[in-house]
Amino acid sequence: MPEVAGTAAREEILRRIRDARVPAAAPVVRGYHREGPGGVELFAERVADYRAVVRVVTDVPEALSSLRGKDVVAPDDVPDEWLVDGVGWLREPLSIGELDRADGVLTGCAVAIADTGTIVLDGGVAQGRRALTLLPDYHVCVVRADQIAGSVPEALARLQPTRPLTFISGPSATSDIELNRVEGVHGPRVLEVLIVT
Amino acid sequence: MARNPVTWLGSPTFPKAARVALNDTQLRQNLRKATGTIRGRRAAAVAEMDDWEQLRVAGEQVKDDVLARLDTLLVQLEESVTARGGTVHWARDAEEANRIVLDLCRAENATEVVKVKSMATAEIGLNEALEAGGVHAVETDLAELIVQLGDDRPSHILVPAIHRNRAEIREIFQRRMGVEVSDEPADLAEAARTYLREKFLTTKVAISGANFAVADSGSIVVLESEGNGRMCLTLPDTLITVMGIEKLVPTWQDLEVFLQLLPRSSTAERMNPYTSVWTGVTPGDGPQRFHLVLIDNGRTATLQDSVGRQALRCIRCSACLNVCPVYERTGGQSYGSVYPGPIGAILTPQLVGDMHDPQAASLPFASSLCGACFEVCPVRIDIPSVLTHLRAEVVEAKGRTAESVAMAAAAWVFGSASRYEKAQKAGALARFLARDGRITSLPWPGSKWTSSRDVPAPPAQSFRAWWKENRCQK
Ligand code: SF4
């Protein structure tokens, strides 16, 4: 029987590793903080540090009136009341070209991290597939106060690693030219975060 | 020939290349400005964390655990990725890895692929291998694109075009993209956006590296800023990820340590703009074919060395480059390798695995042993110790006994009158270390000699000093 492709390489690499006889390591000491203070205020401050637009709101539909006159992508399962009048709502299935031509996208999120000012999308309710928040130039993300975790460890504990995850901290940016920060290279140029209290 | 292309073919040894770089004032200016800026920012980002030391220790320990259980963890990763619809490939060396990737591209009939910046693919010379096989790889990270369009070589792990200023970048873009553009960073970024957009939307195969792979869940993690990574990881039908076998963390929870250590150490941010995590394939979302190529390429040989193996803890943050006084003056290209700076000085020779290669063997000497690299390293790699350890190996590889090491040092001293005189002054000092007219311990490399015998103490005044004093002025 022919050898399964790559089996020899696999076996040899594993054998070399075993031959190295690396001694067992000491148990990991997790002396760092696993919890952070959290809170809407800290999260809002840290998101704003990335030059994202941040608004603390109580009424989402009212806050979304700023989208009037635009063509905005909305995942299938956003709450009905978010679909305010006066906006050209684009719904799935959408082609890559249609996504690219849209003015913006509106989503919710899975978790947010106060310490770092990060929002995390996992493809769950009101988030859609990854391409939706990537191609339009403007991303409005609704974060409920109870979705804000204090620290990175707390956030990871709330997430399911097998889902496709995207951690977003501010708009797309580059610092490759003389370390000057420039927003909006390939991802959305503007990130707007609506924190609902 | 060395067993892999970690080093650039035909590169001069470090001292030769460094001498050329030191004469390039533009290069030194670009570098001093960039490393100085990022040093300050990193320090501020780290100062914000009162548990930074504990995170570093945890980072070190998690990675040491990975190295101790690498075989089981790799098999576990393979199982989790396969269970989620991915395919895992194993490559012993660069050639094998390049062949696997080329075959995968050919199976998709791809003549052009988009690439996320990746050290592993640079290490194995993937772009060149693909090109030779008729597949053009487009770098999509802005700095990598600048390097690629400039027919240049990278000079930094994180910012490969750190040695270029805006005027130089503008010139490269105008020449290669055929556009008029100012030298404003925002305009230059916009030009790159337009240039790459069409490629992202139409290319069917993407190639990436990995910052981390989580053994228990099979998740792969890529950190980036521009969104070019997300484009490559999301839009094409097929994704090929190439990673070194040491890039693992055992559990999803362990990632909490590195997602805190890496951004602050590398870009001095609390968190980088985008982090993508994917596990195998997800129906209806992102690439529907996923291949993971695990490469050894000198890593298992490095694992054999009880002192040198800690280099495999490296998470490629580049903090050690930015604090290194040698790197700041010579630039990354002098190291003649995709891994420059302090980490390059210890990783490159080990991956090459041939201390008879003069270029690789010169790298452990590309340091002043000031220790700044160890202080900033988020996984506490004791770079100075590994450097001295490798220096001894270089000397041994020259086929010399411990004694001839000291003799080689002596030959260097005797080779120049001024060095000889300086050494004699130091020698007079050495007398005070001597008991009963014998010296029983000398600092390295003299220690190689005195460990087996005593040295007669030098006389109180050297002959040359005596001659100068008594005979020089008539
Ligand atoms: S050796 Fe340490 S400081 Fe240098 S790149 Fe690797 S992890 Fe960062």
Side-chain angles (χ1 to χ4, degrees), chain B residues 157 314-321 343 373 376-379 381 383:
Chain B
I157 294 179
C314 176
I315 55 172
R316 314 274 188 264
C317 71
S318 76
C320 58
L321 277 62
I343 182 60
C373 47
V376 296
C377 179
V379 286
I381 299 173
I383 297 176

Side-chain angles (χ1 to χ4, degrees), chain B residues 8 10-24 27 329-337 359 362-363:
Chain B
W8 296 322
S11 285
T13 58
F14 180 80
K16 274 202 192 125
R19 214 165 297 139
V20 177
L22 283 169
N23 286 327
D24 185 339
L27 173 90
R329 286 164 180 82
T330 63
Q333 295 178 341
S334 300
Y335 296 77
S337 160
Q359 199 270 332
S362 72
L363 291 176

Side-chain angles (χ1 to χ4, degrees), chain A residues 51 174-178 180-185 189, chain B residues 142 166 169 173 181-194:
Chain A
R51 301 184 208 173
T174 182
S175 299
D176 283 348
I177 301 164
E178 297 180 13
N180 286 292
R181 193 180 169 95
V182 176
E183 264 97 38
V185 194
R189 261 180 265 240
Chain B
L142 180 52
R166 59 180 81 190
I169 297 167
F173 277 16
V181 60
S182 82
D183 66 358
E184 274 305 307
D187 285 352
L188 292 166
E190 184 64 33
R193 179 186 175 104
T194 316

Side-chain angles (χ1 to χ4, degrees), chain B residues 420-439:
Chain B
Y420 180 68
E421 255 166 26
K422 270 190 209 129
Q424 279 197 323
K425 275 190 199 128
L429 258 180
R431 278 185 65 250
F432 296 100
L433 300 172
R435 263 177 280 139
D436 309 326
R438 313 292 290 176
I439 293 172

